[in-house]
Amino acid sequence: MSTTTSAPAGRKPSSRSFKERVDTMPRAVKIVLWVVFAVFLFLLPLLNIPFITTEGSDFGGVLFTVATYVLVALGLNIVVGYAGLLDLGYVGFYAVGAYTVGVLTSEHAHLSWVLVVPIAIVVAMVSGVILGAPTLRVRGDYLAIVTLGFGEIVRLTLVNSQWLGGAQGISDIPKPPGVELFKVPSLDWSAGVPVVDLSTTSTFLKFGINDFVPYYWLALGIIGLVLLFDILVKSSRVGRAWEATREDEDAAELMGVPTFRFKLLAFALGAAIGGLSGALFATKAGFISPDSFQLLLSILFLAAVVVGGAGNRWGVIVGAIVVGYFPERFRDFADFRVLVFGLALMLLAIFRPQGLLPPRRTVRAKRADDRQAVLEEGEASA
Amino acid sequence: MQNLIDNFFSYTITGLTIGAVYALIALGYTLVYGVLRLINFAHSEVFMYGTFAALWVVMILGGHPGAGVGQVIFWVAMMFVAAMAMSGLIAVLLERVAYRPLRKRNAPPLIALISAIGASFVLAEIMGLRSRIVGWVGLDDTLRDYVRNSRNNAGLPTIIQPQPIFTIGGYHVTNVDIFVIVGAIVIMVILDQFVKRSRLGRGIRAVAMDPEAAALMGVNRDRVIQVTFLVGGVMAGAAAVFYMLKIGITRYDAGFILGVKAFTAAVLGGIGNLRGALLGGFVLGLAENYGSAVVGSQWKDVVAFVLLVLILLFRPTGLLGESLGKARA
Amino acid sequence: MRSTLKFAVPLAVAALALGACGTKGGDTTTPAASGGAAACGNYKIGMFGALTGPNANLGIYIQNGVNLALDDYNKKHADCKVTLENYDSQGDPTQAPALAKKAIDDKKVVGIVGPAFSGESKAADPAFNEAGLVTITPSATNPKLADNGWKTFFRALGNDATQGPAAAKYIKDTLKSTKTFVIDDASEYGKGLADIVRQDLGSQVVGNDTIQQKQTDFSASVTKVTSSGADALFFGGYSPEAAPMIKQLRDAGWKGTFVVADGVKDQSFIDNAKEAAEGTIITCPCVPPDVAPAFQAAYKAKYNEDPNTYSGEGYDSATILLDGIAAGKDRASMVDFVKAYDKKGVTKQLKFDAKGESADIKVFAYKVENGKIVSVGEIK
Amino acid sequence: MPEPTQPTTGDEVTEINPDADIAPVDIGVPDVAEGEKLLEVDEVTLRFGGVVALNEVSFHINKGEILGLIGPNGAGKTTCFNVMTGVYQPTSGAVRYLGKPLGKRKKFQITKLGIARTFQNIRLFANMTALENVLVGVDAHHSTGVVSAMFRLPKHRREEAQGFARAMELLTFMGLDGKANELARNLPYGDQRRLEIARALATSPQLLCLDEPAAGFNPAEKVKLMELIRTIRDQGYTVLLIEHDMKLVMGVTDRIVVLEFGRKIAEGSPAEIRDNPAVIAAYLGVDEEDAS
């Protein structure tokens, strides 16, 4: 994300870090940059930028998928990155959110979408508490296998419960109510230069069957809210308690942190965001079945968080984009997609173990460590 | 429930056979976890390669049903040799490529898990794409029988015809059942003795107990880790042979679920504990079978995981506790 | 943070440079179009299904059939060839909608063979319906698909509701089974089919079980089957599970008849179950290949193997669309053309009823004999 | 936990600012008059399997004093600490705090009651800044949850402001205010020790337990540490000090309890302890090592 914003600043060579440079910018410039960036994200599916736009699959649809990955990664980051709990069954919460929407809007009731989404969040959160309460006392590695089991239990329950639609899944999930405000035209690059194409448009917030862009906009808005939530909570007592627990659980407890309670909180919040993401997915897909909630997805989610840099919200967003976007962009690899993905994971782990965009603390620590190493080597003064 | 009572021995014996396979795979998880504190997520693939090696060697030797005893013994022996060699090799390779570079860089454990997941994908996909790969080298016609429909099942001819040996509670225990259960226990005992008595085994225990102290005492940690992977791989190879004899069919993604089950078995018994792996494997195999009998086979995996959660709630270190480092192993 | 910045600029430049290439590449398709005759529409048909990934086999069998039909067409119409556009969903309903949109946006695509599975059909068909792009599925057998009122939905084979009763009838009348055990794999296809069989067989069903897909160890099911004394077992599911299941049943000494449906009508079942597959009865709403020897010969010549599951349906589905193109139909008029279609295909008389279902469904029974699937006649 | 970094060379001893106001804030526990019993260890026995780690140990700590807990290696000093802070449950006997037994309270609950500690081997939150480390301690008596953080409710803002002020005051006191934003793991060894004390003080304890705070210090640093401990007491804290270094203990404590093999062998003023033959016997041979 920040890669894109860095482009204008990147022209003047400087030894200062990007972060410092942004920090020292006048407030007005910062706001303008952010607005430009937000507008760019908003228009992205319609710009049809060559090379970036996926050839094999609809770009709006792909962007929506990437957006759900981003949302999931933000939620999982609270669990894995902040609280340090290894969760291999996150897809379970994603499924709970999606199925809550499916059951309450189509299968067994016909409640309004606006009402159902908060319910889905709450149900996912409750399922997080139910899973976490007995298992968060066990050790980290055990937690991994227990959560993995949870993901499978959820999927198998979906397959085998006729009440939940069984293997057939749930179809005819209604679209959210929309308001038709204005049309946004797209760009056409077929002449080599961008031309505004007024015949291909997306209507701002009309949730149709064949236009995924409004769903992407919806997801973008929700990501914004979740990010804000993440920033606010992380920079409070709660965030500090999570980090302390991750760093040294016993010491944290002896400093008055009720670690179990905070771990459970992280689990519940993570689950809630996973549920929200699942609810969005169900809304857009209109049809859900257990096939969409395979165990593999949990692993992809975790990969997104770790590849990006667990603990850094911007990092995990980058990770989610990598995991969600690249397989679609490089559909030509077709059969080799999983193979290439596996290789990429290994290479990343070996050559960039801290993730693509590690948390600032790691960077800071590394810098300080380097300084220390220089000091230790000889008389060289810093 | 009535069905379970009526066919109790049938469910028990078949549960023990699959449990034996779980136990042997679980050993690989337990050993590696003991020395590295790492879930070797790709161990399931090590097993899967073993099943293919066992299958291919029988195909090369022209194995077929109804052969004489001597020939069958030869085939089975070759299955063991091939599967153990293949799995051992893959396991060592895995350690070299996916874990050692990370260890040298002191990467956090989570990263090792990601590397393991990556390696698992790569290994499974190479097997799943083997037809394409041999196609590139132009061997697809020669190797047609070995690679065709590489995303599909691959089946072993029934080289040992199951023969009822004796009957217990209405269930005819076959030669294959006995071979698998007894074979697995014998292999476990050998491993147990190896770890307890041999120099390398002591090294494994020393590293598991305290890596730094072991290094100070002159134990070559890298070598010990390599041996640990090798031993785990060889055990997975043995499991692969038993699996092929009992189930008879494998596939490029056959390892995944089995790996998860075996890891569950390892945790169930107390990870890091060799005897725990054996016990965990058998308990899991039985629980799954009994559970399937009572609530239906579709809940098999659910039974396994619920059992795991229950055990961890009441015995957080598994049935026998964790102890590769401690002398009990 | 700093390193990100260093990469940012070159990346942006690279993106632009490559982007330019991409655009040029896109351009070449337009001039190429002028190569044909003036009236040529450069139409495409789409193949929608799993072509890669774990479920790819079925998709590839269909695609082989479709390619054969295209070869036939393009030989006859060398001046105005039709090309195939692949939409590889990997059988995943999550990927299906975005692919459907891509097909819809490509105005050259006049019809789709697929989607291959029921799940992806549910996810993608509403979009096709809205866009008026015709789909003929050669393999999705969920009966409910036809009940959605999609005017673009056509199915070139019988659904589970036609096959289930035939399988039950065969078990009852021909096998004269009195004790039947029914197993399904909890999949949409397998469970749907097995439930119909259970219902039709009524009290002669002595036991039920449900397994999981990708399961390999069936010891619990085997015990249930053997202890029930069943003389026949119906399994609703696919060959990856059917093969180890019958193998383990035979190993346990079970002697009854194994009855399965078209999901198992696949050479890989025999390749893997080997001796254990012998005598298995397979029901299928597909005409035996000897009905259309020319197709079989052509397929064998091109792919060096016998036509596999749904290859014929794939061929037929594509043929309908290609006939439409030959008749000068475009995307909008294709729906009515397909609706009115009535010709003999390689699998059956190709004709659809008001809901888009095949009007002429015959279910045949096949038997595994000496490692081959041979027809034992229609189930009437 | 990262390895503690190299002990400092001695020439850069961080000066403390004794003027900073670090007096404990009211945390809602009953106040005890100066000189009264604050905490009482009553006949505490702790067994691990067959090993008796503590054998009927009894002593008490008075409000406002500095009590030394000494003994040779393996005497059970840290174990005693662990029983007092809820890490272990005594097999028999009880720990009474403010007249009431601690019972089966959890670790964090005991901290909230006003007992805080440091660790023999430094256990800071290595990847958090110095300020954040102290803030975690201050947070012990805060109650901001997700909701008030999310909406930046007045309670959150008040607590954050108070917490920040208190944390900075503590860092200033320790002379660490200039390093507030350094990661804990990057601080020099001495600073890490001091930061641990600051973090413990941040929980506003009635009783501050220091587990070998001078380990790895050179003599100059030890002198500073003695000063620091005295200043802390003068600000209104009660201090329990585990220490190996006899000189330090004698110089700073009001009373001393001596453990050996899990048993209390002596108790009294520094002067009494110095002349106690049992103590001398226990420490024989250990003295030399200490002197180094």
Side-chain angles (χ1 to χ4, degrees):
Chain A
M1 285 264 158
S2 36
T3 332
T4 339
T5 41
S6 71
R11 287 196 199 100
K12 37 179 183 181
S14 162
S15 58
R16 284 180 307 164
S17 79
F18 168 63
K19 168 85 183 154
E20 282 167 37
R21 221 171 314 157
V22 169
D23 282 347
T24 51
M25 269 185 223
R27 202 184 167 80
V29 176
K30 256 192 275 184
I31 291 173
V32 168
L33 275 180
W34 274 110
V35 169
V36 168
F37 182 55
V39 169
F40 169 75
L41 284 181
F42 176 78
L43 291 177
L44 186 59
L46 297 166
L47 294 179
N48 286 322
I49 304 168
F51 188 71
I52 290 179
T53 306
T54 48
E55 291 294 324
S57 192
D58 180 65
F59 193 45
V62 169
L63 278 181
F64 175 84
T65 307
V66 172
T68 53
Y69 270 75
V70 167
L71 207 49
V72 166
L74 283 174
L76 189 56
N77 185 40
I78 294 180
V79 181
V80 178
Y82 296 166
L85 304 165
L86 187 50
D87 187 346
L88 281 179
Y90 199 64
V91 74
F93 303 121
Y94 186 68
V96 166
Y99 265 81
T100 309
V101 168
V103 165
L104 292 181
T105 60
S106 169
E107 188 79 1
H108 292 292
H110 298 280
L111 303 182
S112 135
W113 184 84
V114 183
L115 192 66
V116 167
V117 170
I119 297 178
I121 296 174
V122 171
V123 172
M125 193 187 273
V126 169
S127 67
V129 172
I130 292 174
L131 173 68
T135 53
L136 283 175
R137 291 178 206 278
V138 304
R139 256 207 357 237
D141 316 290
Y142 289 5
L143 187 66
I145 191 81
V146 168
T147 49
L148 188 130
F150 166 74
E152 270 301 86
I153 289 174
V154 168
R155 189 181 66 81
L156 290 168
T157 308
L158 297 179
V159 172
N160 291 308
S161 301
Q162 288 315 303
W163 192 80
L164 293 168
Q168 301 213 359
I170 297 176
S171 20
D172 299 325
I173 297 167
K175 305 292 160 201
V179 275
E180 295 183 35
L181 292 177
F182 51 87
K183 282 180 191 290
V184 187
S186 61
L187 281 187
D188 185 359
W189 292 71
S190 56
V193 285
V195 178
V196 176
D197 177 3
L198 288 172
S199 64
T200 316
T201 60
S202 283
T203 307
F204 185 73
L205 290 193
K206 174 181 175 251
F207 296 103
I209 293 180
N210 254 332
D211 186 0
F212 305 122
V213 176
Y215 298 96
Y216 164 71
W217 287 332
L218 176 68
L220 209 56
I222 290 177
I223 288 173
L225 287 178
V226 170
L227 258 178
L228 188 68
F229 168 83
D230 184 63
I231 291 170
L232 291 175
V233 172
K234 174 73 195 309
S235 64
S236 76
R237 166 174 175 261
V238 178
R240 287 191 293 270
W242 284 334
E243 285 208 285
T245 308
R246 180 195 64 210
E247 292 292 314
D248 187 334
E249 192 167 339
D250 284 333
E253 183 98 351
L254 285 164
M255 290 305 130
V257 179
T259 52
F260 176 71
R261 221 178 288 164
F262 276 101
K263 285 197 286 185
L264 196 58
L265 180 68
F267 222 63
L269 288 180
I273 296 174
L276 171 63
S277 186
L280 264 183
F281 165 73
T283 305
K284 180 242 168 193
F287 161 72
I288 49 174
S289 74
D291 277 349
S292 302
F293 306 100
Q294 301 280 354
L295 198 54
L296 184 69
L297 211 52
S298 278
I299 291 166
L300 290 185
F301 291 159
L302 184 70
V305 169
V306 179
V307 163
N312 179 1
R313 60 180 77 86
W314 307 111
V316 304
I317 289 175
V318 171
I321 293 170
V322 168
V323 170
Y325 171 75
F326 279 77
E328 287 295 341
R329 175 62 187 81
F330 298 103
R331 281 189 88 84
D332 305 346
F333 280 109
D335 247 358
F336 295 91
R337 258 186 282 175
V338 182
L339 181 66
V340 170
F341 180 68
L343 274 176
L345 282 188
M346 281 175 75
L347 291 177
L348 256 169
I350 292 168
F351 294 109
R352 208 163 162 80
Q354 70 276 49
L356 291 173
L357 219 61
R360 236 180 36 239
R361 57 182 154 79
T362 325
V363 177
R364 260 188 343 222
K366 178 133 184 27
R367 220 185 297 150
D369 284 348
D370 291 347
R371 214 159 51 204
Q372 207 162 22
V374 171
L375 276 176
E376 275 165 19
E377 262 171 33
E379 297 81 3
S381 58
Chain B
M1 199 64 202
Q2 193 54 43
N3 186 289
L4 173 61
I5 297 164
D6 291 346
N7 302 291
F8 180 77
F9 285 103
S10 173
Y11 286 116
T12 304
I13 303 290
T14 50
L16 288 177
T17 24
I18 192 71
V21 174
Y22 289 158
L24 284 172
I25 308 174
L27 284 176
Y29 286 104
T30 263
L31 282 166
V32 169
Y33 190 89
V35 295
L36 281 182
R37 307 273 137 197
L38 165 84
I39 303 173
N40 180 8
F41 202 86
H43 188 63
S44 49
E45 275 24 272
V46 170
F47 162 79
M48 181 270 288
Y49 273 75
T51 61
F52 274 97
L55 169 68
W56 288 337
V57 78
V58 172
M59 287 169 74
I60 291 170
L61 296 173
H64 56 84
V69 177
Q71 212 163 10
V72 170
I73 290 175
F74 173 65
W75 287 335
V76 172
M78 289 313 287
M79 281 170 85
F80 274 105
V81 171
M84 286 171 151
M86 171 76 105
S87 291
L89 179 77
I90 296 283
V92 170
L93 207 68
L94 186 70
E95 193 269 328
R96 279 308 277 266
V97 175
Y99 297 129
R100 191 172 291 187
L102 294 184
R103 217 164 55 239
K104 299 283 173 248
R105 286 156 190 262
N106 270 328
L110 204 59
I111 287 299
L113 188 73
I114 291 295
S115 179
I117 291 171
S120 169
F121 283 177
V122 170
L123 285 172
E125 284 298 308
I126 287 177
M127 193 52 93
L129 292 166
R130 60 186 190 281
S131 58
R132 305 279 292 264
I133 293 166
V134 300
W136 287 337
V137 250
L139 286 172
D140 41 344
D141 275 343
T142 333
L143 297 176
R144 193 168 163 72
D145 285 343
Y146 300 91
V147 300
R148 73 165 157 209
N149 291 335
S150 52
R151 295 267 184 205
N152 260 359
N153 283 344
L156 180 80
T158 314
I159 52 171
I160 308 183
Q161 190 58 46
Q163 300 285 344
I165 302 291
F166 60 91
T167 303
I168 173 166
Y171 179 72
H172 307 290
V173 181
T174 66
N175 45 1
V176 175
D177 293 331
I178 295 172
F179 181 65
V180 172
I181 297 175
V182 174
I185 293 176
V186 167
I187 289 177
M188 297 261 189
V189 170
I190 294 172
L191 178 71
D192 198 55
Q193 294 304 310
F194 165 77
V195 171
K196 220 183 241 165
R197 298 187 197 283
S198 77
R199 222 185 122 226
L200 275 169
R202 281 198 298 274
I204 291 176
R205 268 162 48 207
V207 173
M209 237 183 302
D210 187 342
E212 272 155 41
L216 287 176
M217 304 299 281
V219 177
N220 180 344
R221 182 151 181 257
D222 278 343
R223 197 168 124 77
V224 164
I225 289 171
Q226 202 160 15
V227 169
T228 310
F229 270 84
L230 179 68
V231 171
V234 168
M235 292 295 127
V241 175
F242 292 129
Y243 178 84
M244 285 312 276
L245 289 175
K246 179 71 188 166
I247 307 291
I249 284 174
T250 184
R251 195 158 70 158
Y252 78 100
D253 59 357
F256 186 76
I257 288 292
L258 230 71
V260 169
K261 291 287 183 58
F263 183 67
T264 305
V267 172
L268 207 58
I271 196 157
N273 183 327
L274 295 186
R275 289 173 195 182
L278 181 67
L279 180 68
F282 284 139
V283 167
L284 189 70
L286 287 176
E288 273 187 3
N289 249 12
Y290 294 156
S292 300
V294 177
V295 293
S297 302
Q298 73 269 39
W299 299 107
K300 194 172 156 181
D301 294 355
V302 175
V303 169
F305 288 122
V306 168
L307 176 74
L308 176 73
V309 172
L310 289 179
I311 299 262
L312 286 184
L313 280 184
F314 296 107
R315 275 195 74 89
T317 50
L319 291 172
L320 295 186
E322 309 170 13
S323 79
L324 190 64
K326 292 166 198 134
R328 207 196 290 160
Chain C
M1 277 293 176
R2 209 191 306 163
S3 59
T4 333
L5 190 67
K6 275 187 204 150
F7 285 119
V9 178
L11 249 182
V13 173
L16 283 173
L18 280 163
C21 297
T23 331
K24 271 184 222 143
D27 280 347
T28 52
T29 54
T30 331
S34 58
C40 183
N42 289 301
Y43 286 136
K44 301 177 192 169
I45 60 174
M47 162 72 214
F48 198 114
L51 298 172
T52 63
N55 303 314
N57 277 326
L58 198 65
I60 288 168
Y61 297 154
I62 297 169
Q63 196 193 29
N64 286 348
V66 172
N67 272 324
L68 216 52
L70 269 175
D71 288 353
D72 287 356
Y73 179 90
N74 287 337
K75 232 174 270 166
K76 278 186 235 157
H77 302 86
D79 54 337
C80 183
K81 291 189 174 173
V82 173
T83 50
L84 183 69
E85 190 77 19
N86 287 318
Y87 298 99
D88 173 18
S89 64
Q90 302 193 315
D92 174 7
T94 313
Q95 296 185 30
L99 289 166
K101 173 96 174 12
K102 200 77 196 169
I104 289 163
D105 286 350
D106 186 347
K107 303 290 183 224
K108 300 274 181 220
V109 175
V110 293
I112 300 281
V113 177
F117 292 112
S118 298
E120 56 187 358
S121 297
K122 282 184 205 166
D125 280 355
F128 286 127
N129 181 51
E130 195 176 85
L133 178 56
V134 90
T135 62
I136 307 176
T137 180
S139 52
T141 51
N142 184 313
K144 285 188 191 137
L145 287 177
D147 297 338
N148 290 296
W150 297 323
K151 54 188 189 303
T152 52
F153 173 82
F154 297 95
R155 174 153 38 202
L157 79 170
N159 65 29
D160 297 341
T162 59
Q163 196 183 163
K169 200 165 150 55
Y170 191 89
I171 293 169
K172 223 188 299 191
D173 298 348
T174 310
L175 294 179
K176 308 239 182 292
S177 158
T178 51
K179 290 169 150 188
T180 314
F181 201 97
V182 182
I183 298 181
D184 68 75
D185 66 351
S187 74
E188 182 163 21
Y189 161 80
K191 183 165 168 46
L193 208 51
D195 281 349
I196 295 170
V197 171
R198 284 180 182 123
Q199 200 184 335
D200 282 13
L201 290 179
S203 60
Q204 80 177 70
V205 176
V206 290
N208 285 299
D209 202 9
T210 301
I211 56 135
Q212 295 164 23
Q213 283 187 290
K214 294 200 175 176
Q215 189 175 331
T216 52
D217 164 41
F218 297 100
S219 45
S221 306
V222 167
T223 301
K224 287 183 189 176
V225 173
T226 48
S227 67
S228 72
D231 54 16
L233 165 64
F234 179 81
F235 171 60
Y238 299 97
S239 51
E241 288 78 31
M245 183 187 290
I246 186 61
K247 198 167 164 129
Q248 289 166 43
L249 274 162
R250 296 293 183 226
D251 281 356
W254 185 69
K255 300 274 190 290
T257 311
F258 191 46
V259 183
V260 291
D262 52 349
V264 184
K265 188 174 170 292
D266 178 347
Q267 188 61 34
S268 78
F269 169 65
I270 300 165
D271 290 345
N272 294 310
K274 305 243 155 60
E275 319 68 55
E278 286 297 308
T280 300
I281 300 293
I282 304 172
T283 69
C284 185
C286 44
V287 177
D290 43 343
V291 171
F295 168 72
Q296 196 178 15
Y299 192 99
K300 183 119 192 175
K302 181 158 174 148
Y303 300 109
N304 194 22
E305 59 183 25
D306 283 328
N308 229 315
T309 326
Y310 303 136
S311 297
E313 281 79 2
Y315 180 88
D316 279 349
S317 307
T319 305
I320 297 172
L321 295 174
L322 292 167
D323 283 357
I325 294 172
K329 304 294 174 192
D330 61 5
R331 183 187 284 188
S333 52
M334 189 63 90
V335 180
D336 288 329
F337 177 83
V338 176
K339 207 169 260 174
Y341 197 85
D342 189 357
K343 260 190 204 166
K344 188 157 176 50
V346 301
T347 59
K348 61 179 82 63
Q349 186 71 18
L350 301 173
K351 185 176 186 320
F352 301 99
D353 66 10
K355 285 162 76 183
E357 295 277 15
S358 269
D360 170 42
I361 297 300
K362 293 187 183 114
V363 181
F364 289 82
Y366 297 82
K367 190 174 192 175
V368 178
E369 270 177 17
N370 302 320
K372 288 266 176 295
I373 300 175
V374 295
S375 167
V376 291
E378 189 184 343
I379 307 174
K380 291 197 181 99
Chain D
M1 280 302 296
E3 300 297 311
T5 32
Q6 308 288 318
T8 44
T9 42
D11 48 336
E12 47 161 325
V13 179
T14 312
E15 293 292 334
I16 65 162
N17 295 309
D19 303 334
D21 174 24
I22 58 153
V25 295
D26 181 22
I27 57 167
V29 295
D31 212 13
V32 180
E34 192 79 14
E36 295 283 303
K37 273 185 196 169
L38 181 65
L39 179 128
E40 192 182 359
V41 176
D42 186 12
E43 304 262 297
V44 164
T45 302
L46 182 68
R47 277 195 201 91
F48 294 114
V51 184
V52 184
L54 290 176
N55 194 353
E56 299 190 347
V57 172
S58 296
F59 62 91
H60 69 272
I61 303 163
N62 294 324
K63 171 88 178 171
E65 72 175 342
I66 300 178
L67 179 75
L69 189 60
I70 64 170
N73 271 333
K77 293 165 299 188
T78 299
T79 312
C80 194
F81 249 46
N82 282 335
V83 170
M84 286 160 53
T85 49
V87 177
Y88 301 137
Q89 287 294 324
T91 316
S92 69
V95 178
R96 270 191 288 275
Y97 174 69
L98 299 170
K100 289 190 199 112
L102 285 177
K104 293 208 162 177
R105 284 198 174 77
K106 300 215 168 64
K107 287 172 267 185
F108 73 91
Q109 288 167 326
I110 292 173
T111 308
K112 283 190 179 180
L113 283 175
I115 302 178
R117 65 172 289 179
T118 64
F119 300 89
Q120 189 176 347
N121 45 347
I122 299 175
R123 291 178 76 172
L124 287 166
F125 306 127
N127 286 315
M128 296 171 79
T129 62
L131 177 65
E132 285 168 340
N133 266 280
V134 181
L135 277 174
V136 169
V138 181
D139 282 338
H141 300 290
H142 286 170
S143 59
T144 303
V146 173
V147 177
S148 41
M150 191 163 72
F151 296 106
R152 289 293 189 251
L153 294 182
K155 186 172 92 179
H156 166 84
R157 277 183 275 169
R158 198 176 56 236
E159 286 188 354
E160 285 290 304
Q162 282 172 356
F164 181 78
R166 169 100 181 135
M168 281 316 288
E169 194 79 51
L170 283 164
L171 287 175
T172 310
F173 172 72
M174 293 292 172
L176 293 172
D177 46 333
K179 298 174 178 170
N181 287 321
E182 289 277 341
L183 288 194
R185 62 195 281 185
N186 295 330
L187 293 175
Y189 181 78
D191 286 353
Q192 290 197 9
R193 282 264 176 230
R194 256 182 294 273
L195 181 57
E196 256 211 334
I197 300 175
R199 183 178 68 174
L201 285 176
T203 66
S204 287
Q206 297 273 312
L207 174 64
L208 175 68
C209 306
L210 303 176
D211 197 346
E212 300 207 14
F217 276 7
N218 61 27
E221 287 171 321
K222 283 182 182 173
V223 171
K224 296 274 178 203
L225 185 73
M226 275 163 70
E227 253 172 60
L228 176 72
I229 293 173
R230 262 190 230 108
T231 320
I232 289 172
R233 192 260 302 272
D234 294 346
Q235 292 258 17
Y237 294 89
T238 308
V239 179
L240 174 61
L241 175 69
I242 291 188
E243 191 44 71
H244 224 86
D245 185 327
M246 283 297 245
K247 212 186 285 170
L248 184 87
V249 177
M250 296 295 167
V252 73
T253 54
D254 301 315
R255 254 171 0 107
I256 293 175
V257 171
V258 189
L259 295 182
E260 191 193 15
F261 300 124
R263 224 187 298 250
K264 186 174 87 174
I265 55 169
E267 180 175 353
S269 68
E272 288 163 10
I273 295 297
R274 191 170 324 177
D275 302 332
N276 188 318
V279 178
I280 293 168
Y283 264 84
L284 219 63
V286 188
D287 251 331
E288 285 168 55
E289 187 192 301
D290 269 352
S292 64

